[in-house]
Amino acid sequence: MHCVRKITEDLYWVGGNDRRLELFENMFPLQKGVSYNSYLLLDEKTVLFDTVDAAIGKQFLENVSAVLDGRTLDYLVVNHMEPDHCSLIEDLHLRYPDMKIIGNIKTFPLIEQFYGMNLDDKKILVKEGETFSCGKHTLHFVMAPMVHWPEAMMTYDEYDKVLFSADAFGTFGALDGTIFNDEVDFDRDFLDEARCYYTNIVGKYGIQVQNVLKKAATIDIQIICPLHGPIWRNNLEYLLEKYQIWSKYETETTGVMIAYASMYGNTENMVNVLSMMLAEAGIKNIKIHNISKTHVSELISDSFKYSHLVLAAPTYNNNLYPLMANYIEDMKALSVQNRTVAVIGNGSWAPQSAKLMEAKLSELKNITLLTDNFAVKSALHTEQMDLLQELCDKIVASINEVNA
Ligand code: FEO
């Protein structure tokens, strides 16, 4: 049975949810599933904005057919060519052979690469700022290169003031019937998902996101229709502010995220003692992650969120504990920057990890290091408690500076 919702007089959500997928992109654990949003506009012409992932293809085709209610599909706008949104192009082409596809110069080679489709006279090539009339609705095309693929673009419907924003402003998390932001408790149910999605999928492309935000600021947008997660129809400033913070790599929460690796509990003990010291000193926002049990995507998300990071890990094979090395590599790949970081090492005969972590962190942009080879041998001992308290005091002083 079809499963759709009306957004405006002429616009329908015809997407679907996948609550069975374990790993998005076969990499990111999904705690709450994911939605693939697609939108169908009924005007003098019928226009579909993007398709969905193959996993929900049957539901999607049923949805499109139900909303069309006997009409044919005239146009498909392809805002993004990643397969979680374009997997049904070929099926639509077969069902609606007269359908024309609207895309930009980078869209069509990707359609050819993925699906071997020769579209010939079915292509409509659009450029930045061009418009297309479907009747009473006029569409404007806004290029969004590298947010987060080269062909990404957004489409603005001037009549309803709707921005079809591709991956931008999307979140992980399935939609439970409540598809609009004002029908959900976004802070409670979606903010962590949104941050995790943004930072891991788009996080590297802060400059490109900034460019799109500047373009968006010149348009009167009343509704944002992203390809994942809730549709925004009020309080857009909230979402835009989050995107400003994340894309500028600014701090979202003043506090401390501690990420530790510990083979036998001694490094863990050290960060537990440090966290108590921080709490005693009045720091409230403290989050501890055991990196062996926390997916790196969550560590990245919290690295974007918190102002201060503490990284603690043992030496392993005369090198850095591999999971910690991987986490810092991912921080670099996703452009984590502008953070204040303390590093704690451990090692039983040749402690290397503190120096190795510091060297890796020096490859990130604008990192303020509060430590210089702070290392213990095997476990924290009484004579080092003063040094740990000193480190705590430094973190607190730095947080107070941020708060001042
Ligand atoms: Fe949701 Fe870049 O695809």
Side-chain angles (χ1 to χ4, degrees):
M1 177 54 66
H2 65 274
C3 182
V4 303
R5 276 195 75 184
K6 199 167 186 174
I7 301 171
T8 66
E9 194 187 343
D10 305 321
L11 185 67
Y12 293 79
W13 178 87
V14 291
N17 294 293
D18 189 344
R19 296 184 179 86
R20 296 196 285 183
L21 185 67
E22 286 287 333
L23 299 173
F24 186 79
E25 295 185 358
N26 210 11
M27 188 158 44
F28 304 111
L30 291 175
Q31 312 296 336
K32 299 178 179 175
V34 65
S35 76
Y36 302 109
N37 300 336
S38 171
Y39 304 96
L40 182 53
L41 180 69
L42 302 181
D43 197 350
E44 285 171 26
K45 298 292 180 188
T46 57
V47 185
L48 184 71
F49 298 90
D50 295 290
T51 78
V52 295
D53 189 86
I56 60 157
K58 185 172 176 295
Q59 176 74 70
F60 166 73
L61 291 171
E62 208 170 338
N63 290 349
V64 171
S65 173
V67 174
L68 285 173
D69 193 22
R71 295 181 68 181
T72 192
L73 181 59
D74 296 310
Y75 298 100
L76 167 66
V77 175
V78 179
N79 285 313
H80 187 23
M81 261 308 292
E82 193 158 9
D84 55 333
H85 307 295
C86 67
S87 288
L88 274 293
I89 292 180
E90 209 172 1
D91 295 74
L92 289 172
H93 181 62
L94 292 170
R95 282 184 172 222
Y96 308 102
D98 294 328
M99 176 189 83
K100 295 199 167 151
I101 299 182
I102 299 175
N104 61 63
I105 196 159
K106 301 217 166 129
T107 311
F108 295 106
L110 287 170
I111 295 180
E112 170 78 28
Q113 280 172 221
F114 275 109
Y115 305 115
M117 289 170 68
N118 181 359
L119 294 168
D120 291 333
D121 59 335
K122 298 288 191 295
K123 290 191 237 185
I124 298 178
L125 186 67
V126 294
K127 293 183 192 146
E128 172 77 30
E130 284 188 355
T131 58
F132 183 83
S133 172
C134 339
K136 72 182 187 193
H137 296 260
T138 299
L139 306 179
H140 296 244
F141 302 101
V142 180
M143 300 302 128
M146 296 318 297
V147 182
H148 58 132
W149 276 31
E151 87 304 347
M153 67 177 194
M154 301 183 181
T155 305
Y156 175 68
D157 172 8
E158 179 186 307
Y159 183 82
D160 277 333
K161 302 189 186 332
V162 175
L163 182 71
F164 299 94
S165 64
D167 272 341
F169 309 116
T171 83
F172 290 137
L175 297 171
D176 298 340
T178 45
I179 67 168
F180 297 103
N181 72 299
D182 55 19
E183 297 176 330
V184 300
D185 185 332
F186 192 84
D187 271 353
R188 186 192 65 196
D189 296 333
F190 282 100
L191 180 56
D192 287 346
E193 299 282 333
R195 187 186 308 103
C196 191
Y197 176 83
Y198 175 87
T199 57
N200 286 282
I201 307 291
V202 191
K204 175 181 171 68
Y205 302 106
I207 292 169
Q208 291 82 353
V209 173
Q210 277 290 304
N211 289 337
V212 165
L213 290 173
K214 279 177 198 144
K215 287 186 194 179
T218 65
I219 306 170
D220 179 10
I221 301 166
Q222 298 297 321
I223 300 175
I224 295 177
C225 288
L227 288 176
H228 302 282
I231 295 161
W232 287 76
R233 62 182 180 185
N234 71 1
N235 202 15
L236 303 191
E237 319 76 59
Y238 167 96
L239 183 63
L240 290 165
E241 192 195 341
K242 289 290 177 201
Y243 263 63
Q244 286 289 358
I245 290 169
W246 295 334
S247 61
K248 288 184 185 165
Y249 306 95
E250 288 174 351
T251 291
E252 190 182 345
T253 297
T254 304
V256 186
M257 191 273 266
I258 302 176
Y260 76 89
S262 187
M263 293 160 67
Y264 299 104
N266 293 304
T267 308
E268 181 183 26
N269 168 253
M270 238 184 321
V271 301
N272 280 335
V273 173
L274 177 63
S275 66
M276 296 289 179
M277 288 174 170
L278 289 165
E280 284 284 335
I283 305 300
K284 289 193 173 61
N285 293 318
I286 305 171
K287 176 78 186 172
I288 299 182
H289 287 295
N290 171 2
I291 70 167
S292 301
K293 288 199 154 193
T294 308
H295 193 269
V296 69
S297 58
E298 199 178 328
L299 301 175
I300 290 295
S301 185
D302 273 349
S303 306
F304 270 72
K305 179 179 177 182
Y306 286 92
S307 58
H308 290 68
L309 312 177
V310 175
L311 276 48
T315 307
Y316 194 89
N317 279 338
N318 207 29
N319 211 322
L320 180 55
Y321 192 81
L323 291 171
M324 181 58 80
N326 179 58
Y327 162 45
I328 302 175
E329 279 301 317
D330 217 20
M331 287 169 87
K332 185 179 163 192
L334 292 167
S335 289
V336 173
Q337 52 192 274
N338 305 333
R339 292 295 176 268
T340 302
V341 186
V343 164
I344 302 175
N346 195 351
S348 292
W349 56 93
Q352 299 287 329
S353 52
K355 281 193 168 194
L356 290 167
M357 281 188 274
E358 285 168 5
K360 274 184 172 293
L361 287 164
S362 71
E363 295 170 17
L364 275 58
K365 281 189 205 157
N366 197 22
I367 295 294
T368 305
L369 264 179
L370 295 180
T371 44
D372 180 11
N373 196 21
F374 185 105
V376 298
K377 280 199 161 183
S378 301
L380 182 65
H381 297 284
T382 311
E383 59 273 21
Q384 285 166 318
M385 286 294 280
D386 288 347
L387 290 174
L388 200 63
Q389 184 63 55
E390 257 176 47
L391 175 56
C392 169
D393 295 344
K394 270 191 195 175
I395 296 170
V396 173
S398 172
I399 286 176
N400 289 340
E401 255 176 51
V402 173
N403 285 334

